[in-house]
Amino acid sequence: MTSRLNPYLSFDGDARQALEFYKDVFGGTLTVNTFGEFGHPDAAQADKIMHGMLETPAGFTLMGADTPPEMQRTAGNNYSVSISGDDDSELRGYWEKLSADASVSVPLEKQMWGDVFGMCTDRFGVPWMMNITQPQG
């Protein structure tokens, strides 16, 4: 997989409706995963979107999710720039540079869905998400 850079939007409980709206606007294929699918213990969060991705015929990629209750969502912090792919050394190189002098909220490490993932806000205040896809075995 080639590395990709795209916006990642955070929603206040209406990610499914928003992503379906963007699918109506741009067309394409929408995939969503809920918190419940990954064993989130809060029943109220079970049907909320942990990760959604719209891939359009024009080559656009838009990702989004509902903000979990333990995280704060306010206007202005409802986006991140996402970098994802399977080239471990390339993506770790980006992470090392982006996370230098940054505020790291999620260290780059293996996550419950099997990929290596991290989140940081760089020294200029831009939030980044890094997801390194791991081989399925």
Side-chain angles (χ1 to χ4, degrees):
M1 165 197 325
T2 303
S3 297
R4 74 172 88 191
L5 181 138
N6 59 272
Y8 201 110
L9 305 176
S10 297
F11 297 94
D12 192 20
D14 55 359
R16 183 181 303 277
Q17 296 89 330
L19 291 169
E20 287 173 354
F21 168 74
Y22 297 134
K23 181 180 187 283
D24 287 343
V25 171
F26 298 111
T29 304
L30 175 63
T31 56
V32 295
N33 299 104
T34 65
F35 285 97
E37 290 171 332
F38 286 98
H40 196 281
D42 183 356
Q45 283 292 108
D47 290 333
K48 299 296 182 188
I49 304 302
M50 181 177 158
H51 175 71
M53 182 168 70
L54 175 64
E55 295 181 284
T56 75
F60 302 153
T61 299
L62 180 65
M63 296 181 185
D66 287 309
T67 304
E70 62 271 12
M71 296 177 70
Q72 183 178 1
R73 181 192 176 277
T74 56
N77 77 348
N78 57 337
Y79 76 95
S80 293
V81 180
S82 171
I83 301 177
S84 55
D86 59 6
D87 188 327
D88 190 86
S89 63
E90 175 187 36
L91 297 177
R92 285 182 188 274
Y94 296 150
W95 175 261
E96 286 177 25
K97 293 175 184 175
L98 288 168
S99 63
D101 298 320
S103 170
V104 175
S105 56
V106 177
L108 188 66
E109 58 191 23
K110 189 166 184 155
Q111 301 296 324
M112 70 175 89
W113 59 90
D115 293 345
V116 172
F117 176 82
M119 292 172 55
C120 71
T121 300
D122 71 21
R123 63 182 183 220
F124 300 104
V126 176
W128 293 89
M129 303 170 87
M130 182 75 61
N131 192 87
I132 305 171
T133 305
Q134 300 300 292
Q136 300 300 314

